[in-house]
Amino acid sequence: MAMLGKRRPTRQRTGVSGLQRRAHEAPAATTPAVETSVVIERLAHDGRGVAHAASGKTLFVEGALPGERVDMAVHRTRKRYDEAHVRELFEPAAERTVPPCVYYGQCGGCDLQHLVVEAQREHKRAVLVELLRREGIELPEPPGLLAGAPLGYRRRARLGVKVDAEGNVHLGFRARHTSRLVDIQGCEVLVPELAALIGPLRKLLTELEVPRLVGHLELITADSARVVVVRQLRDNGADLQRWRAFGEEHGVALACLLGREEPSLEWLGKTPALGYRLPGSEGELELGFAPGDFVQVNEQVNRELVATVRHWLAPVAGRRVLDLFAGIGNFGLPLAVDGATVTAAEGSPAMVARLQHNAGRNGLDIEALQLDLNDQAAVAALLARLSPEAVVLDPPRDGADAVCRALIERPVPRLVYIACDPATLARDAARLVHGGYRILRVTVADMFVHTSHLESLLLLEHDATQPSSQGA
């Protein structure tokens, strides 16, 4: 209050307002600016390098490999560890390679491109072994490996769409740990027929009347069609007509997922027959699917997965097989071709209908059921009714806790567990082993090359049963 009634002294003009000046000033640091030279000891499960600061605190360093000496900077401080990134690489590891993608380090996907593919796969096998060992499980032999091409393998992807405050349209994938979109002109891991659509799609988005109504684009390739599914938040007749014209020009099947709360799928033109093939004993199986159905993104590795399950369970002719989390029949139908009496259970009524349709189109007679597979009592009742000689289990990332409990209550001679999350697999495997099952075989499937994500397969038998040892 000392200046009350007095004129303030004149300040020198700078031509910049106080608000502008503050906007140009460096933001206050949320964490101490720590920079240090460290040697990377190993890789964490998610592919980041692990080191220790002089204080002993654990550091997770993005983009660093074991044995490398790097100058790193901490960008996030946590209570038990810090997260950091490489500022300068002093001593590169022999396994380091030049990332094949120009968007490496920006895009949130394919974060292991700096590591040669062979070393990526060894890392994934080591992760699975370690996670099982933490649960007290020692494997009878090192994990096997199923792998395919390192690039051009992904037959499905979702691209984000965003219009910024200046009206610029952005198309791409999310940056790591953020919602920010990284604009891309191409993608090295997409199958070429989908990667070729990115440029034309970007051009079309800039020509739409209301591009803000587009939430994302789903790109899918099937054996006989390329599909683009447009997530359209609200109807716009002029823009939908532009999408129809795009589909006709580029030979693409166009669908619109229209509406905010409960979107409905509408095809902008002729509805395509989407499907893929799997080897059968005579000719090939044809499995149909629709946008939104779960389909493995790597066709080559999926074929190897199916072949491995068939080999591990052979011979199945005349035997009862229960396929849980059956999806559209990816595992159950090939086993039916091999002569098994297959019962397939799935939680989604729509997927059950698709499974029944796929069985019919291939001339196969299976029992398809809609069942809550998180209900232990329901699963146990199904096991009691069928008394299967083998179970195939392919759950989502949350695993199959209720199913595993039921399988301990009512054991089966043979069980194949296909997992997309190694941590939940290790948890469920430990429960099964403590419940009397024994692990016979383990294999890692490199479904998502250049990422830390891994699929895995376990073959187990129950000690109280006397299964045939064939196929092990």
Side-chain angles (χ1 to χ4, degrees), residues 369-401:
L369 303 171
Q370 193 273 324
L371 190 70
D372 181 1
L373 296 173
N374 293 314
D375 184 338
Q376 181 182 340
V379 177
L382 182 61
L383 290 168
R385 176 171 74 84
L386 297 175
S387 296
E389 291 153 289
V391 169
V392 176
L393 183 57
D394 184 17
R397 295 186 68 84
D398 291 341
D401 183 67

Side-chain angles (χ1 to χ4, degrees), residues 393-414:
L393 183 57
D394 184 17
R397 295 186 68 84
D398 291 341
D401 183 67
V403 172
C404 291
R405 291 175 185 272
L407 285 167
I408 292 169
E409 179 183 334
R410 293 188 173 275
V412 298
R414 289 237 162 160

Side-chain angles (χ1 to χ4, degrees), residues 25 80 91 122 132-133 177 186 304 342 375 377 429 440 445 462:
E25 291 173 353
R80 297 177 58 188
E91 298 173 10
E122 285 305 312
L132 290 169
R133 185 171 291 152
H177 306 312
E304 294 193 34
V342 175
D375 184 338
L440 300 180
H462 196 275

